[in-house]
Amino acid sequence: MFQPAITDTAAYTAQSAAPAAQQLSVWELALQGGWIMLPLLILSILCIYIFTERALAISRARKDDASFMQRIKDYIHDGEIESARKLCSQTDTPYARLISKGISRIGRPMQDVLVTIENTGNIEIAKLEKGLPWLATTAAGAPMLGFLGTVVGMVKAFYNLAAAGTAANISVLADGIYAALVTTVAGLIVGIIALFAYNYLVARVNKVMNLLEAKTMEFMDLLNEPA
């Protein structure tokens, strides 16, 4: 007669107790990943540093002074080569260093001037790309590290299951599996963030490269103008 009431009470107790058992902070979850979480943490900090530092450097490199080339043109037409070089040194941007190198070659064959500017441009782009290989490596390597941690955790889980013998149950295996999968999740998160950061910085470097090419062509057109 009283069985439904007892059943309802037991069900309510189980439902109210379940959420409390499932609550787990991010920190506690991360600790379940074991030692493999340490290199993933180091890679994530390194990626944040590289992304921030490179983003600021590329942002400075993209600054474009609209009057720069006109002033260079006026100086060269007036024969004030030293003033043009001084302007380049004061501007302190990749394209200004390109133009400065080109000015130093004025009077030589045009092909020599162009090659010198292109070589300088390659050096400037290489400087902007410093650190980007680390992001690319992290994007590919972090998920692999996470997967390694998961495989190691699975081995431990099955070992514990076998060691439990007749006392083994599904909870022993489930606890080991969820702890092992933490590293895969962490590795994927770090890898995805590194991949997006890398592609974003590469796109911005390409914009700087386009700016350098435009300045180079403008300078070469200036040298080809009739006196």
Side-chain angles (χ1 to χ4, degrees), residues 21 24 29 32-33 153-154 156-158 160-161 169-182:
L24 194 65
L29 192 62
Q32 297 295 326
M154 293 291 286
K156 291 181 179 178
F158 281 104
N160 293 334
L161 184 65
N169 55 58
I170 190 64
S171 64
V172 175
L173 183 61
D175 289 344
I177 291 176
Y178 99 82
L181 290 175
V182 169

Side-chain angles (χ1 to χ4, degrees), residues 19-33 37 178-179 182 185:
Q22 294 175 357
Q23 289 181 354
L24 194 65
S25 68
V26 175
W27 174 252
E28 292 172 339
L29 192 62
L31 291 178
Q32 297 295 326
M37 298 295 287
Y178 99 82
V182 169
V185 174

Side-chain angles (χ1 to χ4, degrees), residues 76-216:
I76 292 178
H77 283 174
D78 295 339
E80 300 179 10
I81 304 301
E82 289 302 323
S83 297
R85 289 181 179 177
K86 184 177 180 181
L87 176 61
C88 292
S89 63
Q90 291 174 345
T91 305
D92 192 26
T93 58
Y95 66 81
R97 287 187 282 273
L98 259 67
I99 301 304
S100 177
K101 185 64 69 173
I103 291 174
S104 67
R105 296 297 190 271
I106 289 180
R108 302 184 64 176
M110 297 297 294
Q111 185 62 30
D112 291 349
V113 177
L114 181 58
V115 169
T116 300
I117 292 178
E118 289 178 347
N119 291 337
T120 305
N122 292 334
I123 295 173
E124 293 295 332
I125 294 299
K127 290 179 181 178
L128 293 178
E129 292 177 341
K130 182 182 66 174
L132 295 191
W134 274 105
L135 290 179
T137 301
T138 300
M144 299 300 294
L145 279 174
F147 182 65
L148 173 62
T150 295
V151 171
V152 173
M154 293 291 286
V155 171
K156 291 181 179 178
F158 281 104
Y159 176 80
N160 293 334
L161 184 65
T166 57
N169 55 58
I170 190 64
S171 64
V172 175
L173 183 61
D175 289 344
I177 291 176
Y178 99 82
L181 290 175
V182 169
T183 59
T184 294
V185 174
L188 287 173
I189 291 174
V190 175
I192 290 172
I193 292 175
L195 178 62
F196 277 97
Y198 173 78
N199 288 332
Y200 173 77
L201 292 179
V202 167
R204 297 195 68 184
V205 170
N206 288 337
K207 290 183 179 180
V208 175
M209 190 182 303
N210 294 335
L211 176 63
L212 296 183
E213 291 176 353
K215 296 296 183 182
T216 298

